[in-house]
Amino acid sequence: MSEAPIVEIRDLHKSYGATPVLRGCTMNVNRGEVVVVCGPSGSGKSTLIKCVNGLERYQSGSIKVEGIEVGAKDTDLPKLRSRIGMVFQHFELYPHMSVLKNLELAQVHVLKRSRAEAAERGRQLLKRVGLEAKADAMPVDLSGGQQQRVAIARALALDPQAILFDEPTSALDPEMIHEVLQVMTELATEGMTMMVVTHEMGFARRVANRVVFMDAGEIVENAGSEEFFSRPRTPRATEFLSKILSH
Amino acid sequence: MNYRFDWTPIWEQRDLILSGLWMTIAVSLVSLAISIVIGFVVGTGGASGSRSARLGAALFVDTMRNIPLLIHMYIWYMALAFLKLPAFACAVLGLSLYSGAYVAEVVRSGIGAVRRGQMQAALATGLTRIQAFRFIIYPQALRIIAPSLASLFSQLIKDSSLASVIAVAELTYEAGAIEGQTFRTFEVYITISVLYLILVTVASQLVMLVPGARNDASSARFADA
């Protein structure tokens, strides 16, 4: 690809006290690409994705988002974050606001759109995730799957260049996982750049361009999705795949 | 006991009682406003990730809270004597610092009760930390702490009676003056007790007007949302 990657991670190290969490991670996410990050729990994948938009700090190495160093002192983090959406495991909708207000807030206060503009864009996106009827509902009155779809709409409301997904289906009941994955699949088809931490290997196989496999704070494999699933190169990835696919 | 109640002297002194009542309201309201500001600033510091902010907040809270309010009154009155500040300002300062420390602890626990992910979600959309507190964290914390705040504010109104020791002419001070002239001890203190009761009731009802604060069922649902 000729274009510079949207996310460029180089030799990233992070530790909590004496415990290393990330030990020299290097990877890219290119424009239009869907990259799934997987690995056993505690492997550092959630920490890695939270470093990308500066929710977690790192000790050494570098992360560039659209060419801007995330960890640099003079980086305008709010501006950088407004260009990179994020979807969380536990949805994190604002419980004291209606669904539509959840979608409007950052549009109004970060992008400085008018209320009317923000509401219009909000309704558009609710329609897109199939929840236009829920605009005035409170988050608590939605199912988990619906909440996560609203959270995706909230991320999209800022017209981001890429979206980070941190285990978006891990807190969902099995029957709701599908509706969320479907929205994500549609996004991918439309060309959205996505970095997805997930255990959904079906999604990874069908939708991802590349799979990054992490273990103990290291990136062990970084391969095309087809290649990763049919010919994992390392014993650790083979073992992980056999465990997760056999159940 | 053949004490005969006689309310006429109290009625004759109603102007004094009223002016005392206004002074109590003034001292309480100004102290309330300042203690809320102190409480939110210090409480937010106490809930922050920065070790020095937490330490500073804890130091402030422990110092201010552990000095009896009566001593606060004397200290600020004496210490600020050279500034020639009116007694009103000294009383407000003492009450604000003392109550502010309590408000800070309540605010800190309220912020702690808001899910950690809420701050991350707000920051992730590009809001600044201050915007995140204003739009996301404080509104949720306020609902959780409204009942505790209501009882703190009732306490503050009652505590304002200690301003009488530094000659702030509020309700308790005027009651003492009227008692000295008329010797109608019971009548005058019963009267001001009723007035305190009314003030405190009104104040705590006002705090519960915070959206969602009254409805326990909805705040419970809200908590595990």
Side-chain angles (χ1 to χ4, degrees), chain B residues 63-77 90 93-95 97-98:
Chain B
T63 319
M64 293 304 155
R65 214 167 46 158
N66 294 337
I67 299 172
L69 182 55
L70 184 60
I71 311 300
H72 265 287
M73 291 294 174
Y74 286 136
I75 288 177
W76 299 117
Y77 191 53
C90 302
L93 182 65
L95 262 176
L97 290 172
Y98 181 76

Side-chain angles (χ1 to χ4, degrees), chain A residues 50 53 55-56 78 81-82 84 86 88 90 92-97 105-106 109-110 112 140-141 154 158, chain B residues 115-128 131 134-136 139-140 143 221-222 224-225:
Chain A
K50 282 183 175 169
N53 64 352
L55 289 180
E56 294 274 1
R81 287 168 175 154
S82 72
I84 304 289
M86 186 159 202
F88 295 84
H90 295 287
E92 302 300 348
L93 296 182
Y94 312 133
H96 57 303
M97 294 179 186
L105 187 80
H109 294 287
V110 178
K112 310 293 177 198
V140 71
D141 295 318
R154 179 173 69 181
L158 300 178
Chain B
R115 293 173 51 97
R116 208 179 105 76
Q118 289 283 300
M119 177 56 100
Q120 294 202 334
L123 293 178
T125 60
L127 292 174
T128 63
Q131 286 176 321
R134 179 169 153 216
F135 298 120
I136 307 303
Q140 294 184 56
R143 292 177 192 210
R221 284 200 317 167
F222 175 85
D224 48 49

Side-chain angles (χ1 to χ4, degrees), chain B residues 9-48:
Chain B
I10 310 298
W11 180 247
E12 281 161 4
Q13 301 287 351
R14 60 187 180 278
D15 287 347
L16 269 190
I17 291 182
L18 267 183
S19 83
L21 179 65
W22 291 129
M23 184 56 92
T24 289
I25 294 176
V27 170
S28 302
L29 276 183
V30 178
S31 308
L32 179 69
I34 300 177
S35 66
I36 289 175
V37 174
I38 293 178
F40 270 83
V41 171
V42 176
T44 305
S48 90

Side-chain angles (χ1 to χ4, degrees), chain B residues 150-168:
Chain B
S151 80
L152 278 186
F153 295 160
S154 318
Q155 192 67 49
L156 189 152
I157 293 170
K158 291 178 286 171
D159 285 346
S160 72
S161 63
L162 280 178
S164 60
V165 302
I166 55 171
V168 175

Side-chain angles (χ1 to χ4, degrees), chain A residues 166-222:
Chain A
D166 184 14
E167 304 208 27
T169 57
S170 298
L172 293 174
D173 292 335
E175 74 269 23
M176 293 169 184
I177 291 177
H178 174 72
E179 66 188 60
V180 171
L181 289 182
Q182 191 176 346
V183 170
M184 291 170 62
T185 307
E186 283 165 24
L187 278 180
T189 317
E190 290 161 21
M192 176 59 78
T193 308
M194 295 159 65
M195 178 171 172
V196 186
V197 171
T198 186
H199 294 289
E200 293 297 328
M201 290 302 115
F203 173 83
R205 185 168 225 161
R206 275 182 290 110
V207 181
N209 304 102
R210 258 183 321 120
V211 175
V212 168
F213 173 71
M214 288 183 74
D215 190 23
E218 289 174 334
I219 292 179
V220 181
E221 292 209 26
N222 181 348

Side-chain angles (χ1 to χ4, degrees), chain A residues 3-239:
Chain A
E3 207 178 355
I6 291 196
V7 178
E8 206 176 344
I9 303 176
R10 288 285 166 272
D11 195 27
L12 201 71
H13 287 262
K14 178 183 175 66
S15 53
Y16 292 114
T19 319
V21 199
L22 299 177
R23 304 191 294 179
C25 298
T26 296
M27 65 173 280
N28 290 345
V29 181
N30 296 310
R31 194 171 292 276
E33 214 180 15
V34 176
V35 178
V36 160
V37 181
C38 63
S41 39
S43 58
K45 42 196 201 306
S46 279
T47 306
L48 179 68
I49 202 170
K50 282 183 175 169
C51 284
V52 173
N53 64 352
L55 289 180
E56 294 274 1
R57 294 176 178 284
Y58 46 90
Q59 273 94 31
S60 73
S62 128
I63 300 184
K64 286 185 177 155
V65 171
E66 297 185 298
I68 297 165
E69 178 66 49
V70 176
K73 278 211 159 55
D74 55 350
T75 296
D76 182 351
L77 268 184
K79 188 176 172 198
L80 183 145
R81 287 168 175 154
S82 72
R83 296 175 61 77
I84 304 289
M86 186 159 202
V87 174
F88 295 84
Q89 179 177 2
H90 295 287
F91 331 133
E92 302 300 348
L93 296 182
Y94 312 133
H96 57 303
M97 294 179 186
S98 72
V99 162
L100 189 60
K101 291 266 179 259
N102 263 273
L103 269 61
E104 287 174 16
L105 187 80
Q107 293 189 67
V108 171
H109 294 287
V110 178
L111 298 188
K112 310 293 177 198
R113 288 181 184 155
S114 72
R115 279 260 168 225
E117 231 179 319
E120 154 120 33
R121 180 82 178 117
R123 285 185 195 282
Q124 255 174 28
L125 288 166
L126 284 178
K127 190 172 177 181
R128 177 165 172 188
V129 298
L131 290 169
E132 49 185 332
K134 298 290 186 184
D136 299 317
M138 297 303 278
V140 71
D141 295 318
L142 305 184
S143 72
Q146 291 172 330
Q147 289 192 47
Q148 195 61 301
R149 279 145 68 198
V150 172
I152 294 173
R154 179 173 69 181
L156 287 171
L158 300 178
D159 300 322
Q161 298 299 302
I163 302 187
L164 311 171
F165 292 84
D166 184 14
E167 304 208 27
T169 57
S170 298
L172 293 174
D173 292 335
E175 74 269 23
M176 293 169 184
I177 291 177
H178 174 72
E179 66 188 60
V180 171
L181 289 182
Q182 191 176 346
V183 170
M184 291 170 62
T185 307
E186 283 165 24
L187 278 180
T189 317
E190 290 161 21
M192 176 59 78
T193 308
M194 295 159 65
M195 178 171 172
V196 186
V197 171
T198 186
H199 294 289
E200 293 297 328
M201 290 302 115
F203 173 83
R205 185 168 225 161
R206 275 182 290 110
V207 181
N209 304 102
R210 258 183 321 120
V211 175
V212 168
F213 173 71
M214 288 183 74
D215 190 23
E218 289 174 334
I219 292 179
V220 181
E221 292 209 26
N222 181 348
S225 145
E226 193 50 48
E227 189 190 336
F228 176 76
F229 284 104
S230 50
R231 294 181 302 278
R233 276 169 305 175
T234 60
R236 281 191 283 183
T238 312
E239 192 195 334

